[in-house]
Amino acid sequence: MKTLRLPLILLVLIALAALPWYGSDTLVQFGISTLLLAVLAQGWNIIGGYTGYPSFGNSVFFGLGAYGVGIAMVQWQLPFAVGMAFGVALAVVFAVLLGIPVLRLKGHYFAIATLALAQIMAAIVSNVPLAGQNIGLVLPPLNDDRMFYELSLILLVAATLTVWWLTRSRFGFGLIAIRENEEGAVVMGVDTTRYKVLAFVLAGIFSALAGGIQAYWITFLDPASAFDITLNVKMIIMAVFGGPGTILGPIVGSFILSAISELLSSEITSIAGLFFGIVIVVAVVLMPRGLADVVQRFHKLGWRYFVDNIRTNRI
């Protein structure tokens, strides 16, 4: 089974890379948004899935990356690549300055502490003239969906390879040790503060790059859209649905949920708004470890897998 995994992944990657040449414009645009959501889910997977810290503040990094590109291109007339670097720099500085104090909190205290970050940052940016305040910024248009699609795919591959490296590196083992037993990790000699901050920074880098691509693709930027808290909810749901703490789980979750959400939005709009709420309940009660765990254990336990989870996670 494992011998077939790599060729299958390569075939899927080739098919995705070729999509702009055989797919419709609508499909390519859907692909861009889905790939960027997968990047965000994979970035959250680093801090939430492998480190065990459920961050609700990763959308702040997305917004900082978007504003880095917007400010560089609109206010300073600099190239897109410079704007991406500026956005990443903003995200890294923010992750370090915020991560050192906030990552000392644990569990729901950490989640609550990060929950309001997006709204706070939106309020700050809306009062900064360089960022366009509440009016926002209009970026120079570039009608090249193929380029944005390929950039998004490359970014997703880079994020996934980084997660794959985590599963085989000392740094990644340290993050897993923190997730399983942080006190035990300290006893084993893991510098937990440094590891957690680095994981937060790594998640912030990929989120910021996704935000930069999104900003240039959409060509409009304002505080409400850049620091949208629902974006953070989506990336968490997609990672949890696919399987947190796995390499491909967040990607599979993003692709499946994005496709279903898009179908419901176009066919049954009244249900589309409730979709992610339903997914949360299903994921928490029936498969708290995501689809990846279902694939691994269902053939052994059968339907008892879901029965056991319902008993354990009953409300």
Side-chain angles (χ1 to χ4, degrees), residues 9-22 28 31 34-35 149-150 153 156-157 251 255:
I9 291 174
L10 290 176
L11 285 174
V12 171
L13 187 58
I14 292 171
L16 288 174
L19 187 143
W21 280 266
Y22 66 79
V28 173
T34 301
L35 290 171
Y149 179 92
E150 300 298 348
L153 181 59
L156 178 58
V157 171
I251 299 176
F255 284 14

Side-chain angles (χ1 to χ4, degrees), residues 4-281:
L4 296 175
R5 188 178 300 173
L6 182 58
L8 180 61
I9 291 174
L10 290 176
L11 285 174
V12 171
L13 187 58
I14 292 171
L16 288 174
L19 187 143
W21 280 266
Y22 66 79
S24 64
D25 292 341
T26 302
L27 184 59
V28 173
Q29 291 171 2
F30 169 73
I32 296 171
S33 61
T34 301
L35 290 171
L36 291 177
L37 280 172
V39 171
L40 292 174
Q42 198 68 287
W44 183 90
N45 192 32
I46 297 173
I47 185 67
Y50 281 92
T51 315
Y53 275 71
S55 171
F56 281 84
N58 280 28
S59 56
V60 172
F61 301 129
F62 178 87
L64 289 173
Y67 267 100
V69 169
I71 292 172
M73 296 187 71
V74 176
Q75 307 288 32
W76 300 335
Q77 287 77 50
L78 294 173
F80 171 60
V82 177
M84 291 282 276
F86 180 51
V88 167
L90 289 176
V92 169
V93 170
F94 184 87
V96 172
L97 294 179
L98 181 74
I100 292 175
V102 171
L103 285 166
R104 296 182 184 276
L105 302 173
K106 298 179 182 179
H108 55 277
Y109 295 106
F110 173 77
I112 292 171
T114 57
L115 185 60
L117 289 178
Q119 292 178 327
I120 293 172
M121 187 58 66
I124 293 173
V125 170
S126 63
N127 290 287
V128 177
L130 185 66
Q133 296 180 312
N134 280 322
I135 299 173
L137 299 171
V138 179
L139 282 72
L142 178 63
N143 188 21
D144 191 352
D145 284 347
R146 284 185 179 180
M147 185 197 79
F148 290 116
Y149 179 92
E150 300 298 348
L151 279 177
S152 302
L153 181 59
I154 290 170
L155 182 57
L156 178 58
V157 171
T160 304
L161 288 175
T162 301
V163 172
W164 175 83
W165 167 75
L166 286 179
T167 64
R168 287 157 175 78
S169 68
R170 182 177 180 180
F171 175 63
F173 293 149
L175 296 184
I176 295 172
I178 292 171
R179 181 190 68 194
E180 298 300 324
N181 188 333
E182 188 165 345
E183 289 75 15
V186 173
V187 173
M188 292 169 59
V190 177
D191 187 346
T192 56
T193 300
R194 182 166 65 92
Y195 273 50
K196 289 186 293 185
V197 171
L198 287 175
F200 205 41
V201 168
L202 203 55
I205 289 173
F206 288 115
S207 299
L209 290 171
I213 294 173
Q214 173 82 6
Y216 196 19
W217 177 46
I218 298 298
T219 70
F220 176 72
L221 190 60
D222 69 341
S225 61
F227 301 102
D228 186 4
I229 186 63
T230 61
L231 189 62
N232 209 97
V233 174
K234 285 182 179 181
M235 70 176 82
I236 293 174
I237 293 173
M238 290 173 174
V240 171
F241 181 82
T246 63
I247 299 173
L248 298 178
I251 299 176
V252 174
S254 300
F255 284 14
I256 292 175
L257 296 185
S258 293
I260 297 175
S261 178
E262 183 68 19
L263 180 64
L264 291 177
S265 297
S266 59
E267 300 293 337
I268 318 173
T269 55
S270 59
I271 298 178
L274 302 173
F275 174 63
F276 283 101
I278 296 171
V279 170
I280 292 175
V281 176

